[in-house]
């Protein structure tokens, strides 16, 4: 199967649906916590700046924060974006914050 670039748009709608803020991989990250505290401002930017928004790594690529805990479990499988874009059949499957954006 030929892999192409990701089909997941880095949009406010997908940020709102993304489960990453509830994920234990990010749960203890003070870097993510800081970005979440400024999220409202970050969402008022156009276009969105991926370095300011710790969500939708499947569409934007690896995390800018470096204090994530990859020993914890990725919860992308419970996400409506994951289901809509059929990311289970792409590569990588989950851990987009570590391994980069989804390719379908
Ligand atoms: S991509 Fe997966 S592992 Fe990374 S923060 Fe989101 S849900 Fe967690
Ligand atoms: S599939 Fe994972 S990275 Fe993509 S929007 Fe859902 S929770 Fe976020």
């Amino acid at each position: 199967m030929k892999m192409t670039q990701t089909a997941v748009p880095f949009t406010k709608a997908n940020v709102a649906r993304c489960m990453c803020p509830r994920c234990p991989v990010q749960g203890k990250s003070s870097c993510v916590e800081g970005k979440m505290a400024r999220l409202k401002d970050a969402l008022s930017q156009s276009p969105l700046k991926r370095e300011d928004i710790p969500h939708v790594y499947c569409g934007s690529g690896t995390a800018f924060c470096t204090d994530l805990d990859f020993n914890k479990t990725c919860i992308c499988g419970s996400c409506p974006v994951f289901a809509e874009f059929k990311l289970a059949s792409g590569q990588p499957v989950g851990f987009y914050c570590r391994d980069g954006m989804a390719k379908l």
Side-chain angles (χ1 to χ4, degrees):
M1 181 172 64
K2 186 173 178 290
M3 298 284 179
T4 55
Q5 273 301 37
T6 183
V8 182
F10 189 57
T11 58
K12 275 208 254 192
N14 284 339
V15 168
R17 295 194 294 164
C18 173
M19 300 295 284
C20 294
R22 296 192 215 173
C23 176
V25 172
Q26 296 200 141
K28 291 211 164 77
S29 162
S30 53
C31 172
V32 168
E33 192 180 357
K35 291 181 194 297
M36 291 300 287
R38 298 186 296 273
L39 188 62
K40 200 168 161 227
D41 285 344
L43 290 174
S44 69
Q45 305 285 317
S46 184
L48 299 179
K49 294 184 187 148
R50 75 181 198 92
E51 61 268 35
D52 293 340
I53 300 177
H55 303 62
V56 196
Y57 301 114
C58 57
S60 70
T62 51
F64 276 76
C65 289
T66 56
D67 58 349
L68 306 193
D69 181 359
F70 299 120
N71 293 314
K72 298 283 196 295
T73 303
C74 173
I75 61 168
C76 286
S78 65
C79 173
V81 176
F82 188 92
E84 179 185 338
F85 290 93
K86 300 186 169 47
L87 298 187
S89 55
Q91 283 293 332
V93 181
F95 280 110
Y96 306 106
C97 54
R98 180 188 67 190
D99 297 336
M101 61 177 66
K103 296 178 182 64
L104 295 166

